[in-house]
Every structure is written in C-alpha cells, then in structure tokens.
Amino acid sequence: MLKDILSRLKKNADGKPKRNPVTVPYRYQINAEECRSCDKCKKACKAGAISGERGKAYVINEQKCIKCGDCMKWCKYRAIKRLAMYSEEPKQ
Ligand code: SF4
Ligand code: SF4
C-alpha cells in the first residue's frame, strides 16, 4: 500500500493529475451488469483510466483514476458507483 501511495504522489509531482487520490477516501467502479458499453465515460475520462469495447462491460483502472467523478456524471445508465475506498464491494 505504501508503494502505491508513493507512486501516486510521484505522478502528482510530475505535474500530471492535480487531485491527490491518496486523500480521497473513495473509489469509482463500473457495475458490469448495468454497463451498456456506450463509450461515454471513456471519452469523458481525462486521465485515460477507462477501457472497454462494444458489447463488454467497461472497466476503471484504479491506478490511473484521479477521482474527478466525470465518468459518473456522463453515465446515463447509472452504471458507475462511488464506493468507500475499502468497501466490501469486490474490485474489478
Ligand atoms: S457511460 Fe456507463 S454505460 Fe456507458 S460505457 Fe461507461 S459505464 Fe458503461
Ligand atoms: S473518476 Fe475521473 S479519472 Fe476516475 S475513471 Fe472517472 S472520469 Fe476517469
């Protein structure tokens, strides 16, 4: 976990994402059963953290996610949830 935190801080020092994911106590996750692979969230994600293809559920890469919440705003199917960082919800 410490390694993960240090790597995120280093990314910030390099001038990439402005928001500090370490201090944000939640994570974003796509519900595979609700995702309709419409591609909106992927286009909206400025961190390039979402991947997927037509016909399959999209996935958020937590290592790249800067937790801006834009994807959740764009998903009209409400497939993206904001979860507590260490919630019981299984990770993607
Ligand atoms: S916007 Fe919602 S439905 Fe569309 S690909 Fe993303 S998670 Fe799936
Ligand atoms: S919260 Fe922001 S950075 Fe994270 S996946 Fe959604 S749009 Fe991308």
Side-chain angles (χ1 to χ4, degrees), residues 7-85:
S7 108
R8 290 179 186 208
L9 286 173
K10 187 171 180 289
K11 276 185 194 162
N12 285 348
D14 290 341
K16 283 187 181 166
K18 296 270 186 289
R19 187 177 278 240
N20 182 353
V22 175
T23 60
V24 181
Y26 48 78
R27 60 190 169 96
Y28 289 87
Q29 189 161 299
I30 296 172
N31 182 331
E33 287 174 16
E34 291 172 32
C35 176
R36 310 269 181 95
S37 43
C38 70
D39 210 47
K40 294 249 184 202
C41 57
K42 188 176 170 185
K43 286 180 184 159
C45 180
K46 50 187 168 273
I50 300 179
S51 59
E53 56 188 78
R54 297 275 173 187
K56 291 184 180 173
Y58 278 41
V59 175
I60 294 174
N61 180 334
E62 284 189 39
Q63 299 301 312
K64 290 185 180 175
C65 177
I66 57 169
K67 302 176 182 178
C68 63
D70 288 350
C71 54
M72 203 164 93
K73 290 178 204 155
W74 279 91
C75 181
K76 63 182 175 184
Y77 300 105
R78 298 180 184 232
I80 303 177
K81 308 280 182 246
R82 193 173 83 176
L83 304 167
M85 182 59 100

